[in-house]
Amino acid sequence: MTTHTAPAERLHHPPELEAEPFGDSALMLRVKNDDADFRRAAGGRLRDVLLEVRPYGVLDIVAGVESLLVEFDCLAVTHEQLAQTIRLAVAGNALEPGAPGASQSLFVIPMVVSEEFSPDLQGVSEELGMSPEAVLQQFQSSVLTINLLAAAMAPMMGGVRFPGQVSRCAEPRTNVEPGSVMVAGTNAIIQPFPGPSGWKVIGRTPLTICDIREDPATSYKPGDLVRFEVVPEHDWSRLEGQFLRAASSAGASSDGPEGGNRDLS
């Protein structure tokens, strides 16, 4: 598969959905709406619909913040045929936020704030014109949606209730510790493994959010919800290294700092 949009005419589609050829064997889908929150929520719903219907020839579905890349077998189906199948699937399944879809889990993730773990908290508070305590209060009161899994399965989340946009670091760090909780714009992300990043670090979770020894390696998926909870630094040793797991049954408790979650379906 190539990484550039194919030089083809944009496919005919209903007004609410764009379907563009992306290389020889993929379609880029976008929901048309002036509201960014609607586009993101509808994009998640579209992903659920396609995973449920699984149109003929589809090989993989990759979620973006406001788009969906559908990879397919070009020997089995054409761009036009797949786009038509998707239009028919969407016609019978509402894309509005709140429409029935795949099960959704809520993760409550503990976060420790300290001078070592929160090097950018003071800078973020100055940028937003509020105290560090107010920044953390706003962050904890936000229920975030995982929009996509970025590099190394990092959960990229939208919906931070900051009064403004948080800029990225002027000079990106070459190595950010795993578990670092970072913000940029009104988004948040957790660093699963050591690596570079230009996002601003405001805390760190003691939990392991991605472990290749587990199957699956993560317990979260696009569309799931996340809430952060600041816990005392002395809780670090008790929680360190615990794998963030999904609840095994609906209604499991999400209380407490262990990163529990409950099925919201």
Side-chain angles (χ1 to χ4, degrees):
M1 188 190 83
T2 61
T3 57
H4 299 285
T5 304
E9 292 292 324
R10 179 171 293 182
L11 303 176
H12 178 68
H13 54 271
E16 69 275 9
L17 184 66
E18 292 181 341
E20 290 184 332
F22 196 83
D24 298 328
S25 55
L27 277 176
M28 183 68 74
L29 306 178
R30 296 183 180 88
V31 176
K32 294 189 67 176
N33 193 278
D34 292 335
D35 187 280
D37 290 337
F38 181 95
R39 292 195 302 270
R40 294 179 182 183
R45 171 61 182 146
L46 175 60
R47 176 182 178 273
D48 291 342
V49 169
L50 295 184
L51 286 174
E52 181 179 353
V53 174
R54 202 71 187 191
Y56 175 71
V58 169
L59 301 176
D60 198 12
I61 300 172
V62 183
V65 175
E66 294 184 7
S67 63
L68 208 64
L69 183 68
V70 181
E71 300 177 356
F72 62 90
D73 182 355
C74 60
L75 298 179
V77 66
T78 67
H79 290 94
E80 292 81 4
Q81 290 169 338
L82 181 58
Q84 178 64 13
T85 300
I86 291 172
R87 288 197 294 269
L88 292 173
V90 169
N93 294 273
L95 297 184
E96 289 79 8
S103 62
Q104 185 181 52
S105 295
L106 170 66
F107 293 83
V108 180
I109 300 180
M111 180 178 78
V112 172
V113 174
S114 68
E115 184 175 349
E116 177 185 358
F117 294 164
S118 315
D120 298 317
L121 179 57
Q122 183 62 42
V124 169
S125 70
E126 293 172 359
E127 185 174 2
L128 294 176
M130 51 201 307
S131 68
E133 294 75 18
V135 169
L136 293 174
Q137 183 178 12
Q138 288 291 96
F139 191 64
Q140 291 183 94
S141 67
S142 303
V143 178
L144 312 181
T145 301
I146 299 178
N147 293 319
L148 60 88
L149 303 187
M153 303 296 285
M156 184 172 175
M157 300 160 277
V160 180
R161 296 174 56 188
F162 287 157
Q165 301 280 324
V166 175
S167 65
R168 298 199 181 197
C169 298
E171 295 185 9
R173 292 182 172 87
T174 57
N175 189 57
V176 175
E177 293 295 325
S180 294
V181 178
M182 304 177 288
V183 294
T186 54
N187 302 308
I189 199 167
I190 305 174
Q191 186 86 346
F193 304 104
S197 179
W199 292 48
K200 292 185 174 176
V201 182
I202 63 170
R204 192 183 301 177
T205 180
L207 301 184
T208 297
I209 66 165
C210 181
D211 190 338
I212 60 174
R213 297 169 296 183
E214 298 287 339
D215 185 20
T218 64
S219 56
Y220 49 81
K221 63 185 183 302
D224 283 342
L225 305 178
V226 172
R227 182 169 62 79
F228 287 91
E229 179 179 298
V230 175
V231 298
E233 192 169 357
H234 61 71
D235 279 348
W236 181 275
S237 59
R238 178 173 62 86
L239 301 173
E240 185 176 12
Q242 293 185 24
F243 182 63
L244 178 63
R245 297 183 182 277
S248 58
S249 60
S253 173
S254 63
D255 297 331
E258 281 77 8
N261 62 87
R262 56 186 175 89
D263 196 319
L264 299 179
S265 59

